[in-house]
Amino acid sequence: MGAKINFTEEKINELKAEMVKNMQEPGPLMPTLHAAQRIFGCIPLPIQKIISNELDVSIARINGVVTFYGHFSIEPKGDTIISVCLGTACYIKGAQGLLDAFSHDLNISVGETSKDGKYTLEATRCIGACGLAPVFTVNEDVYANGSVQLVKKVMQKLKQEK
Amino acid sequence: MLDRMHILICGGAECKESNSVELRDLFKSEIERLNLGDDIQTALTGCFGLCALGPHVLIYPEETLYSGVKLEDVREIVEQHIAKGKPVDRLLFKGEFDRKKFRNRSELTFFAKQTRIALRNCGVINPLDVNEYIARHGYEALGKVLTTMTPEETVQVMLDSGLRGRGGGGFPTGRKWQFCANSVSDKKYVICNADEGDPGAFMDRAVLEGDPHSVLEAMTINGYAIGADTGYIYIRAEYPLAVQRLELAIGEARELGMLGKNIFDSGFDFNIELRLGAGAFVCGEETALIASIEGERGMPRNKPPYPAVKGLFGKPTNVNNVETYANIPVVYLKGADWFKSIGTEKSSGTKVFALGGKIANTGLLEVPMGTTLREVIYEIGGGIPNKREFKAAQTGGPSGGCITAESLDTPIDFDNLIALGSMMGSGGMIVMDEDNCMVDVARFYLEFTVEESCGKCTPCREGTKRMLDILNRICEGEGTMEDLDVLESLGKMIKDSSLCGLGQTAPNPVLSTLKHFRKEYEAHVIDKVCPAGVCSNLTKYVVLDNCIGCTKCARNCPVGAIEGKVKEKHFIDLDLCIRCGACKTACPVNAISTKPESWGAM
Ligand SMILES: Cc1cc2nc3c(=O)[nH]c(=O)nc-3n(C[C@H](O)[C@H](O)[C@H](O)COP(=O)(O)O)c2cc1C
Ligand code: FES
């Protein structure tokens, strides 16, 4: 686990403000967890405790919900998140090969973060760009019609930027 | 003031990823630079449907369609077409088959064969401007329902239309509304299921991004019909653009009084809120979705009680899919009889498909129910690229099965697809060619369900895992014939005993491929060969007798594993071969094969 979590007072207050807003509606837990994931990049135990106190929900239940959904994570992710689509359209067009190429280049398996905290490699299920298959994303950027050559090029560029 | 010309730029997610925002800005500044007047509108629209060839630009009133437009092309289009009225030939959309250039969008087979109801506004209006929706009869249906019809009459129209749910199950929407309307309660809810979980399908995304108001309008009609005052849209977090456009649309609708208190002075109140999903496929199942909105783990609940009786927060709830909703305003405007006249007897209306995989025109299309698979794949889809053979089309995603060449002429509707051992599903249609291994495809889907099984019931949690173990063994060359029988009996058992639709359908991709492609399974087990050359442990490349000795394969092999003289048959040294397939791609006469010898020359 490389990357660090940033728990500044300011961010915690931002989360608390979200909770006050969410509590006016029924079912405040999911929107709150989304906010926490967005603000901190993950939802580790200390954050779960804060949510538990404010929303008056047991921490066991919160933990159960956090670990159920793929979108929430307990550990922080790397600065650069590389995500290869393994939806059907992409898989049929060879997405597994792209994932293997990234995994080989970064020397980490799917779902892991590199030791220096720089990269996280993920597999997602269909980002809805199936016409451009196979696709992968690097943070917000989408790369279409992927190939092993494109993976190599992207990795080279990423490494130069660092 | 009336606009003289409209320049519509596809702002669907896929084109947006290729610069459509920059394109729009550049069109604007070019038009300003040449001072062409302010009666030319530029707008980003929803998805046009032809995703692989984007970004697209459509110019009205001529309906000229340009494709693959780059930033450097904008100046030419503005100077030639906009200023002088001369279309830029070089950029006109070209047909995949005949390379004929089309000036007008409706000439294209891709569009000519389609009937667009759910997608009527996608790619035609600017989704960020409610006035454009209104100009195309938006919110008229709501006005008509609220001011001239009773809730009972509203339900009756739905019953008469024969509309069946587009989210997968195909349950009659009118009946569902009737159940919920008949439940007595102080509070009821309407939910729009926008969780679109089938990997490889993006119909709902296109509707939400291209025509968000149609969903809001239909949900409000739904609320009136069943007596609900609150609606939720449960949408995947993976669709940020759709979320953003929905938020904007809800804001606009509130401002215009189409949402909120006393809509159309009818005394009816209705509000809509968004709830984000969090990456769990099972949350597409309606009871799991409800649990998720309540802030629980998204695990399905036993039915009955059905949501129509006891749903969200214990109150009667009606859940419908995005595409189902997108059809609804038109049904009220044009009438149930009109809707029933489209499609087949038991499946009225149209269906949107997301066509993907090995097909020339990947993208979205909407056809009347009863269209044949052949029309979809060869006419609208433009056929299989690279001169490959069609092998199968997969519908219904991880719950569905495959349709083979024999069934290409079966009319597509809910019941026929089930009879073929597949299902309509939400509308993903993935085309596979001879290079796809059906065992590997079955394994792929099962891996998906194993990952997404919520773990509540044993057959689904444990059973699918055992099936996956067996498939992995087969793909590695360690399978036995007995394994095939076990797959079948285990699959049937899981279907019969699982709690929710996920487990009840999870074995389908395996059972269906076993039924249609047993020979391919047997090749993996008996010959230890993967005929498609996908499972790397089992791939053996051999040169066939029709080799013309052109040496292309040898020159393309990265490891020098191919030998042979010019004009003589070549040989592959299997010890050196790394199974990369470069030779097969390079061969001009299809003389390199991965098929087992016992299959003969094919
Ligand atoms: C495992 C599973 C996943 C589902 N995923 C979706 C989905 O992504 N979108 C959807 O609209 N319906 C999905 N459904 C179907 C819903 O349970 C429900 O039937 C549907 O939303 C009802 O709407 P409709 O009648 O308009 O089709 C899924 C069902 C199951 C069992
Ligand atoms: S399958 Fe990859 S984007 Fe849809």
Side-chain angles (χ1 to χ4, degrees):
Chain A
M1 64 161 277
K4 282 219 174 55
I5 319 165
N6 194 349
F7 290 131
T8 57
E9 189 81 13
E10 194 186 331
K11 290 195 168 185
I12 290 177
N13 285 336
E14 189 183 340
L15 179 64
K16 286 189 174 160
E18 287 280 343
M19 286 192 273
V20 171
K21 199 177 84 204
N22 293 336
M23 277 197 289
Q24 290 160 6
E25 300 277 338
L29 185 55
M30 287 295 280
T32 300
L33 293 179
H34 271 290
Q37 178 75 33
R38 176 173 47 79
I39 296 169
F40 301 101
C42 60
I43 316 177
L45 265 175
I47 302 293
Q48 294 181 24
K49 274 188 192 144
I50 297 175
I51 298 174
S52 167
N53 283 336
E54 300 285 317
L55 298 187
D56 199 18
V57 178
S58 80
I59 195 150
R61 212 184 108 195
I62 294 183
N63 202 290
V65 174
V66 170
T67 50
F68 183 85
Y69 293 99
H71 188 75
F72 304 136
S73 56
I74 294 192
E75 291 190 358
K77 292 183 180 173
D79 303 333
T80 304
I81 300 175
I82 298 172
S83 175
V84 180
C85 176
L86 279 193
T88 319
C90 290
Y91 185 80
I92 293 292
K93 289 197 162 179
Q96 184 70 46
L98 306 186
L99 191 59
D100 293 344
F102 275 118
S103 169
H104 181 82
D105 196 304
L106 293 167
N107 202 11
I108 49 175
S109 320
V110 184
E112 286 182 358
T113 299
S114 61
K115 287 217 172 59
D116 55 8
K118 277 187 185 151
Y119 300 100
T120 299
L121 181 60
E122 292 179 344
T124 49
R125 298 290 186 183
C126 191
I127 57 166
C130 319
L132 307 174
V135 298
F136 59 89
T137 59
V138 176
N139 291 338
E140 310 281 288
D141 298 333
V142 178
Y143 291 85
N145 299 318
S147 60
V148 175
Q149 286 85 330
L150 185 63
V151 169
K152 286 213 174 101
K153 246 188 3 222
V154 168
M155 279 313 303
Q156 259 169 14
K157 202 176 105 207
L158 284 174
K159 283 179 183 160
Q160 272 165 13
E161 279 167 12
K162 298 273 151 149
Chain B
M1 182 180 67
L2 262 165
D3 296 321
R4 179 163 63 93
M5 255 178 161
H6 280 210
I7 305 177
L8 305 183
I9 298 139
C10 179
E14 304 193 28
C15 287
K16 209 154 169 272
E17 272 139 23
S18 4
N19 276 342
S20 51
V21 179
E22 288 89 338
L23 273 178
R24 195 249 338 249
D25 295 344
L26 196 59
F27 267 108
K28 268 196 179 153
S29 63
E30 281 293 304
I31 290 167
E32 261 169 42
R33 184 179 64 88
L34 295 176
N35 220 344
L36 294 174
D38 44 17
D39 52 355
I40 300 176
Q41 273 278 355
T42 51
L44 285 179
T45 66
C47 180
F48 284 12
L50 277 161
C51 307
L53 308 164
H56 303 289
V57 175
L58 181 61
I59 298 183
Y60 278 98
E62 304 95 317
E63 262 208 331
T64 311
L65 181 62
Y66 292 116
S67 61
V69 179
K70 300 203 180 57
L71 291 174
E72 44 295 7
D73 300 327
V74 172
R75 173 169 287 193
E76 190 177 345
I77 296 180
V78 174
E79 286 176 355
Q80 295 299 317
H81 188 145
I82 312 291
K84 300 187 193 142
K86 279 205 308 220
V88 182
D89 233 36
R90 152 182 94 78
L91 297 169
L92 288 175
F93 180 85
K94 295 179 206 65
E96 267 299 317
F97 253 176
D98 38 13
R99 300 263 144 212
K100 180 177 157 205
K101 290 181 178 167
F102 296 90
R103 241 154 242 257
N104 183 308
R105 183 173 91 134
S106 37
E107 281 173 22
L108 291 172
T109 340
F110 182 80
F111 291 104
K113 277 256 163 189
Q114 300 193 40
T115 304
R116 298 196 150 205
I117 300 175
L119 298 179
R120 64 195 175 280
N121 291 329
C122 286
V124 179
I125 62 168
N126 175 357
L128 305 180
D129 184 355
V130 65
N131 290 319
E132 298 212 3
Y133 180 66
I134 291 173
R136 306 231 334 147
H137 306 285
Y139 290 110
E140 263 176 42
L142 179 63
K144 178 172 165 188
V145 168
L146 291 188
T147 54
T148 68
M149 291 165 75
T150 63
E152 293 75 34
E153 286 165 346
T154 312
V155 171
Q156 192 58 44
V157 170
M158 244 330 96
L159 283 166
D160 294 342
S161 73
L163 175 65
R164 294 171 67 171
R166 304 298 195 235
F171 193 82
T173 305
R175 293 243 308 276
K176 206 188 255 186
W177 287 20
Q178 197 174 33
F179 287 142
C180 203
N182 290 343
S183 296
V184 184
S185 171
D186 56 333
K187 180 100 189 163
K188 293 182 190 177
Y189 293 99
V190 166
I191 297 177
C192 170
N193 186 344
D195 199 42
E196 195 153 57
D198 174 3
F202 52 103
M203 304 76 43
D204 295 350
R205 170 183 194 169
V207 170
L208 295 169
E209 289 175 1
D211 193 15
H213 285 285
S214 70
V215 174
L216 305 184
E217 180 177 6
M219 287 176 72
T220 313
I221 295 174
N222 188 180
Y224 177 72
I226 65 167
D229 66 359
T230 308
Y232 286 99
I233 302 178
Y234 187 86
I235 178 167
R236 306 179 72 191
E238 287 89 339
Y239 288 176
L241 185 65
V243 172
Q244 189 195 336
R245 289 190 179 168
L246 274 172
E247 276 169 352
L248 208 116
I250 292 175
E252 278 182 313
R254 281 196 189 133
E255 225 161 80
L256 281 174
M258 298 295 146
L259 282 177
K261 293 227 173 296
N262 195 19
I263 304 171
F264 279 109
D265 273 335
S266 61
F268 173 68
D269 307 338
F270 196 74
N271 251 312
I272 296 178
E273 302 248 353
L274 293 185
R275 284 290 179 271
L276 293 192
F281 172 67
V282 72
C283 287
E285 198 281 334
E286 53 193 13
T287 59
L289 186 157
I290 287 170
S292 178
I293 296 183
E294 290 171 355
E296 302 283 342
R297 287 194 253 173
M299 289 184 167
R301 296 168 180 174
N302 272 323
K303 291 193 269 193
Y306 288 93
V309 178
K310 192 163 176 276
L312 186 61
F313 305 116
K315 303 293 180 189
T317 303
N318 184 81
V319 185
N320 273 127
N321 160 265
V322 172
E323 188 189 330
T324 313
Y325 278 125
N327 278 292
I328 287 175
V330 197
V331 173
Y332 285 96
L333 278 182
K334 298 198 178 176
D337 288 339
W338 168 82
F339 192 75
K340 245 195 125 45
S341 72
I342 301 165
T344 62
E345 194 195 329
K346 293 216 172 110
S347 307
S348 47
T350 58
K351 179 77 194 93
V352 181
F353 288 101
L355 196 56
K358 306 289 183 63
I359 185 93
N361 298 332
T362 48
L364 281 186
L365 52 105
E366 180 171 355
V367 289
M369 295 275 189
T371 307
T372 65
L373 195 59
R374 186 182 303 282
E375 288 170 286
V376 170
I377 291 178
Y378 288 97
E379 295 182 29
I380 302 173
I384 321 287
N386 303 328
K387 298 201 181 113
R388 290 282 191 268
E389 280 289 321
F390 168 81
K391 187 167 186 179
Q394 219 278 355
T395 61
S399 310
C402 48
I403 309 170
T404 56
E406 290 153 39
S407 314
L408 276 174
D409 292 311
T410 314
I412 305 173
D413 70 8
F414 285 106
D415 309 303
N416 282 344
L417 286 186
I418 288 177
L420 289 177
S422 182
M423 63 185 278
M424 182 74 82
S426 54
M429 186 182 277
I430 307 282
V431 180
M432 292 176 238
D433 68 9
E434 52 192 300
D435 293 340
N436 292 117
C437 166
M438 301 314 283
V439 186
D440 180 62
V441 167
R443 196 183 58 85
F444 164 78
Y445 280 116
L446 212 63
E447 206 165 43
F448 178 85
T449 29
V450 166
E451 220 169 88
E452 296 295 341
S453 168
C454 75
K456 187 164 175 171
C457 73
T458 322
C460 173
R461 185 185 64 236
E462 300 296 331
T464 53
K465 228 191 186 121
R466 291 290 84 79
M467 285 180 79
L468 181 61
D469 287 345
I470 297 176
L471 284 172
N472 278 333
R473 268 212 306 274
I474 296 177
C475 289
E476 264 153 35
E478 282 151 24
T480 62
M481 287 305 281
E482 210 190 342
D483 281 340
L484 301 189
D485 300 333
V486 176
L487 276 181
E488 235 158 22
S489 57
L490 197 53
K492 288 191 181 128
M493 192 274 290
I494 296 170
K495 277 176 75 120
D496 291 341
S497 53
S498 293
L499 172 66
C500 84
L502 191 139
Q504 286 158 13
T505 57
N508 284 353
V510 181
L511 295 177
S512 149
T513 47
L514 254 177
K515 179 170 158 214
H516 295 296
F517 297 96
R518 197 171 175 100
K519 204 167 141 194
E520 207 169 319
Y521 278 86
E522 287 171 356
H524 283 72
V525 172
I526 302 172
D527 306 292
K528 308 286 175 208
V529 169
C530 172
V534 172
C535 306
S536 54
N537 268 358
L538 301 181
T539 298
K540 268 191 235 158
Y541 286 96
V542 287
V543 184
L544 302 177
D545 288 341
N546 62 327
C547 168
I548 52 169
C550 71
T551 75
K552 268 206 180 122
C553 56
R555 278 181 280 132
N556 275 285
C557 178
V559 291
I562 307 181
E563 273 180 44
K565 295 202 181 97
V566 185
K567 296 204 175 155
E568 277 176 27
K569 185 176 163 189
H570 282 48
F571 289 94
I572 301 179
D573 183 341
L574 287 173
D575 291 334
L576 291 179
C577 171
I578 55 164
R579 278 108 188 137
C580 69
C583 52
K584 192 166 186 236
T585 321
C587 180
V589 293
N590 238 334
I592 294 181
S593 165
T594 47
K595 302 212 166 75
E597 278 156 49
S598 61
W599 287 22
M602 294 190 58

